[in-house]
Amino acid sequence: MEPGAKGHKIVSNITVDGGSTVFSPNIQGLNSATIKMSTNSSSKPHGEKARNKMPLAPMKKINTKELEGKVTDKKSFVQQNWANLVQKVQNVDELADQMMGFGLTNEMYSEIMSCKTSQEKMRKLLQYMTVSDNACKHLFTKLCELQYCVMEELIQ
């Protein structure tokens, strides 16, 4: 069966112990309406590592304001990183949703949503949002909030 065909099933068993952490998978190009993920967080630990009871490493706290503060000219940053943003930003639909009323009209939104790939959507969104400083500033803020890892990488 072709990937993405109706009924395509991917099975993956992930086992962790010893205080490990599992993050949810990154699903790209999803054209399906249903995702089923079963978890069993009540299973009893087993194996030598489970007895060690190692503490979890502290997770880095996400500070979008600090990230935003590192860039003074948001519009220039977005324009200079256009190609990287087109390639790296995946959830453009959510980003476009957040831009409604901040420079993005219903007509523009419809044009973005009619694009087939996330790259096409991002190109169209950037085209609309880099026209005004305020719209671009809001886009930059939303990118920091919704695509923190991408923006952190580009800003560093």
Side-chain angles (χ1 to χ4, degrees):
M1 190 178 299
E2 283 186 39
K6 187 170 182 167
H8 184 73
K9 185 175 185 179
I10 299 173
V11 177
S12 176
N13 292 319
I14 302 171
T15 305
V16 297
D17 59 16
S20 298
T21 302
V22 175
F23 294 94
S24 65
N26 183 2
I27 301 169
Q28 298 178 357
L30 182 66
N31 293 326
S32 172
T34 305
I35 298 175
K36 294 180 183 176
M37 296 179 74
S38 302
T39 60
N40 182 1
S41 60
S42 62
S43 63
K44 299 220 183 330
H46 60 282
E48 190 63 35
K49 289 182 181 177
R51 288 185 219 124
N52 290 338
K53 304 277 186 186
M54 292 178 61
L56 292 174
M59 289 186 64
K60 182 179 176 183
K61 186 174 189 236
I62 294 175
N63 187 343
T64 57
K65 293 296 179 198
E66 182 181 317
L67 195 57
E68 287 180 65
K70 291 182 179 182
V71 177
T72 52
D73 188 349
K74 313 300 194 234
K75 187 173 181 180
S76 291
F77 176 87
V78 170
Q79 290 171 331
Q80 290 168 3
N81 289 281
W82 186 294
N84 283 323
L85 290 168
V86 166
Q87 292 306 312
K88 294 177 185 241
V89 173
Q90 291 300 313
N91 194 354
V92 184
D93 291 5
E94 183 179 6
L95 187 56
D97 290 344
Q98 295 290 321
M99 295 307 299
M100 286 296 294
F102 293 94
L104 194 65
T105 65
N106 288 336
E107 184 179 342
M108 292 172 177
Y109 181 86
S110 294
E111 284 188 41
I112 291 167
M113 292 302 131
S114 69
C115 295
K116 290 181 174 51
T117 67
S118 63
Q119 290 87 1
E120 290 173 1
K121 288 179 181 183
M122 193 62 190
R123 279 186 200 99
K124 188 65 80 174
L125 180 64
L126 289 170
Q127 182 182 24
Y128 291 139
M129 294 297 98
T130 54
V131 173
S132 84
D133 289 342
N134 282 340
C136 199
K137 188 186 239 185
H138 189 73
L139 174 66
F140 183 91
T141 298
K142 290 303 171 186
L143 281 166
C144 288
E145 291 173 9
L146 300 173
Q147 299 287 317
Y148 184 85
C149 293
V150 170
M151 293 300 282
E152 183 179 44
E153 178 186 330
L154 295 176
I155 290 171
Q156 301 304 336

